[in-house]
């Protein structure tokens, strides 16, 4: 297990009711649903909104999660030989952020289904081959 392949840290919002969380984060921005906030501002920017709304500012920022994900992918690149394949298991929000980072233009992507499969090509420039299949 690699330490950088773990769920996104929500800081003070860990374990709090989802409706309450998104009211606190999105309410001042005119959105009370996570999905609406992501559609308007993008998933990575929402990481920063969560960090800013966290009373202790412990929630991971976009830069922190992006660095962590890129370190994990770099680890895979270092460990795998040409033609090797690996299975990496993680949480949905982590995978959604990974897919956003490695999909050109950072499009809106839905939260992956439980048990969904995402394929990431890590040769040269990492890129998503398929998401949430």
């Amino acid at each position: 297990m690699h330490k950088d392949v773990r769920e996104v840290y929500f800081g003070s919002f860990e374990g709090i009711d989802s409706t309450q969380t998104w009211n606190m984060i999105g309410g001042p921005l005119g959105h009370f649903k996570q999905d609406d906030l992501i559609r308007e501002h993008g998933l990575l920017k929402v990481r920063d909104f969560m960090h800013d709304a966290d009373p202790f500012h412990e929630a991971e920022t976009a830069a922190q999660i992006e660095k962590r994900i890129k370190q994990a992918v770099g680890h895979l690149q270092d460990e795998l030989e040409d033609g090797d394949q690996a299975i990496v298991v993680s949480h949905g929000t982590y995978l959604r952020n990974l897919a956003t980072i490695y999909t050109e233009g950072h499009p809106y992507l839905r939260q992956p289904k439980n048990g969904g499969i995402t394929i990431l090509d890590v040769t040269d420039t990492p890129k998503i081959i398929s998401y949430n299949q």
Side-chain angles (χ1 to χ4, degrees):
M1 176 165 71
H2 192 274
K3 65 180 179 144
D4 289 326
V5 182
R6 65 181 187 284
E7 183 58 292
V8 174
Y9 182 55
F10 297 148
S12 298
F13 296 107
E14 291 284 337
I16 293 179
D17 174 74
S18 182
T19 301
Q20 179 183 357
T21 295
W22 293 106
N23 284 342
M24 291 173 66
I25 296 166
L29 301 167
H31 294 289
F32 295 95
K33 294 183 180 177
Q34 176 185 9
D35 199 56
D36 293 341
L37 198 59
I38 293 169
R39 282 183 191 274
E40 181 173 333
H41 298 281
L43 182 61
L44 295 173
K45 186 64 180 167
V46 171
R47 299 276 65 88
D48 291 332
F49 293 157
M50 180 177 274
H51 174 82
D52 293 344
D54 181 349
F56 298 104
H57 302 293
E58 292 178 348
E60 279 186 286
T61 64
Q64 290 168 328
I65 189 66
E66 188 166 3
K67 178 181 177 184
R68 186 159 62 85
I69 287 171
K70 287 182 175 180
Q71 286 176 176
V73 170
H75 178 75
L76 283 172
Q77 288 173 311
D78 292 343
E79 294 295 318
L80 297 174
E81 301 290 331
D82 284 348
D84 283 354
Q85 296 181 357
I87 294 175
V88 178
V89 179
S90 191
H91 297 266
T93 301
Y94 181 91
L95 292 170
R96 189 177 188 185
N97 280 274
L98 177 138
T100 297
I101 291 165
Y102 290 112
T103 301
E104 189 173 325
H106 300 267
Y108 169 82
L109 299 169
R110 291 192 173 280
Q111 185 73 5
K113 301 175 281 189
N114 283 337
I117 297 173
T118 295
I119 300 174
L120 174 69
D121 181 345
V122 297
T123 56
D124 300 321
T125 302
K127 64 182 175 203
I128 294 293
I129 304 299
S130 68
Y131 175 72
N132 197 26
Q133 299 299 313

